[in-house]
Amino acid sequence: MKERVGFGKYIRFALTFGDYIVLNVAYLISSWILPDGGHLMSKWVWLIANLAFIPSASFFSGIHNDRILYADRVVINALQSSSLFVGVLLALLYIFDIYSTGALSAFVFGAVLFLLISVWWLLSRRILKRFRRMGFNFKRVVIIGTGPTGRMVARELASDAGYGYRLMGLFDDDEHALEQIQGEFTAPLAEVEEFVRLNKIDIIYYTISAENDETIRRMMLVADEAGAEFVYVPKYHKIIQGQFHIASIGSMPAMTHILSPLYSMPNKIVKRALDLCISLPFCLMSPLIFVPIAIGIKLTSPGPVFFKQKRTGIFGSEFVCYKFRTMKVNDEADSLQATADDPRKTKFGDFLRRSSLDELPQFFNVLLGSMSVVGPRPHMISHTEEYSALIDRYMVRHAVKPGITGWAQVNGYRGATKQLWQMEKRVEHDVWYIRNWNFFLDLKIIFLTMFNSIRGEKNAY
């Protein structure tokens, strides 16, 4: 068998070398912005800084190998890498008795590095994807199994040419399944070994049930002998969607289902800190906004300034949600959603709804801990009872605190839900958010909410 030749290792080396260039640019910028250079301008500090980056470059080298990685995950890895760098840098400065460069200088250095390395990693990945779309730096892959899981893997690999995967063939002993595949090379399992060897396959994706011990053992041997990577993809089923952590029961391997990253205590602390950093200053400054709005409400209709309503919170608990009153006082407020031309709305209330200003009192809910700035929107109790019986996974959206804004809202699923599919799409987006939460996703949703509020939304009524 000919040895597989590729330029992947040279690309990884070039990108890692670029990481060190970024580190040194961050070093120069930090020295420039800090008073007296923060005592960074020393050949010993420079040398120690480059040594301190070695653990980060090693632990996070996978960023240059992962072909399917979304932008928010790239930024999170950049934050983790920069934080590790600062910790190692401070430790080395202490070990070498260099006290002139203090913790403040190290943190500024780390912050600049985080910004630059984020930009560099995002930009380099974009360039590399363009390079792969031109037909370079691709991986030859085959898929074992043509069932739903195998087809799902094929779709994912082909969803973006920038990932750099070239599907060479699909293999299965099910003749009927092979006949259903159009536009791809297909063959029985007996031909896998020769095909992998002759076509210098890089990755074998195995999607058949692992209960067939002999087949999976034979395919792993084929991969080992050909120098290919073997990837086992568990048989897909909608019941086991989500994230799993590898665990064990004694000597037996097991997988623990993790519904949301927000079940981790560090992530809970980060999200609560973001909520307090936004809600506390706003609540302190709220009279500047609340007084004019209160006057407008009182001048346009009799009744209270605030509208209080019980809604469904985390784990199905009930809480009192606060809003500015936008309607005339009526008996249907707790059961009937507002519509575009709802006669119950006042003119000033219609303005508050379209600008989303009616939601501002909910920052007090955030401060009190019953809501978060970002999360699934809280529904009326009557709607929770109605839709939980109609929509699969509806109650999953209550696995985290409800939010003032959410992933469904910035994707256009807000306002009245006249048809069942509209609520189904809202639930789908809410569950996706719960499963894929990260700090930068919250920041993205907050930014999009502010942008949409300024631009105006057709479903805001």
Side-chain angles (χ1 to χ4, degrees), residues 337-341 345 350 353-356 358-359 408-418 421-422 426 452 455-461:
Q337 283 183 309
T339 58
D341 299 313
K345 290 188 297 183
D350 189 55
R353 283 178 172 270
R354 291 190 179 280
S355 60
S356 298
D358 63 315
E359 311 284 359
Q409 283 64 46
V410 298
N411 281 279
Y413 297 101
R414 62 168 296 177
T417 49
K418 299 177 182 178
W421 70 266
Q422 293 173 307
R426 182 181 292 183
N452 290 340
R455 184 183 60 179
E457 296 183 88
K458 63 179 181 179
N459 292 331
Y461 48 78

Side-chain angles (χ1 to χ4, degrees), residues 178-198:
L178 292 178
E179 292 174 356
Q180 304 302 312
I181 304 297
Q182 302 293 327
E184 299 289 351
F185 174 82
T186 59
L189 293 178
E191 299 181 19
V192 171
E193 183 173 1
E194 183 179 10
F195 186 89
V196 168
R197 178 173 52 83
L198 293 177

Side-chain angles (χ1 to χ4, degrees), residues 387-408:
Y387 288 115
S388 61
L390 298 174
I391 300 176
D392 185 31
R393 298 184 300 166
Y394 180 87
M395 292 304 294
V396 175
R397 67 189 303 277
H398 301 114
V400 299
K401 290 180 183 180
I404 297 175
T405 184
W407 183 239

Side-chain angles (χ1 to χ4, degrees), residues 149 152 207 209-210 232-245 255-259 392-393 431 435:
T149 307
M152 183 181 68
T207 67
S209 174
Y232 170 63
V233 183
K235 200 165 185 177
Y236 173 79
H237 194 282
K238 66 178 182 179
I239 293 177
I240 60 169
Q241 290 185 56
Q243 300 178 6
F244 288 82
H245 288 182
M255 295 192 301
T256 302
H257 181 227
I258 307 298
L259 177 60
D392 185 31
R393 298 184 300 166
V431 173
R435 286 177 170 163

Side-chain angles (χ1 to χ4, degrees), residues 163-205:
Y163 293 155
Y165 291 106
R166 184 169 296 180
L167 179 58
M168 304 298 291
L170 297 98
F171 297 82
D172 204 317
D173 280 338
D174 186 339
E175 294 183 5
H176 177 71
L178 292 178
E179 292 174 356
Q180 304 302 312
I181 304 297
Q182 302 293 327
E184 299 289 351
F185 174 82
T186 59
L189 293 178
E191 299 181 19
V192 171
E193 183 173 1
E194 183 179 10
F195 186 89
V196 168
R197 178 173 52 83
L198 293 177
N199 291 277
K200 301 182 178 63
I201 298 302
D202 298 291
I203 308 175
I204 297 175
Y205 288 98

Side-chain angles (χ1 to χ4, degrees), residues 257-327:
H257 181 227
I258 307 298
L259 177 60
S260 174
L262 282 171
Y263 284 9
S264 161
M265 184 55 68
N267 289 338
K268 287 182 180 179
I269 294 172
V270 168
K271 186 163 179 64
R272 184 57 180 159
L274 177 63
D275 287 341
L276 291 176
C277 286
I278 295 176
S279 63
L280 184 57
F282 176 84
C283 290
L284 292 175
M285 300 294 293
S286 60
L288 298 176
I289 304 173
F290 281 26
V291 170
I293 292 177
I295 294 172
I297 293 172
K298 281 295 188 180
L299 289 176
T300 53
S301 68
V305 170
F306 296 105
F307 173 67
K308 297 183 291 183
Q309 185 180 65
K310 281 190 176 182
R311 297 203 174 187
T312 308
I314 186 170
F315 301 130
S317 62
E318 296 181 5
F319 74 101
V320 177
C321 181
Y322 296 96
K323 297 180 68 173
F324 281 121
R325 183 174 60 83
T326 58
M327 294 183 174

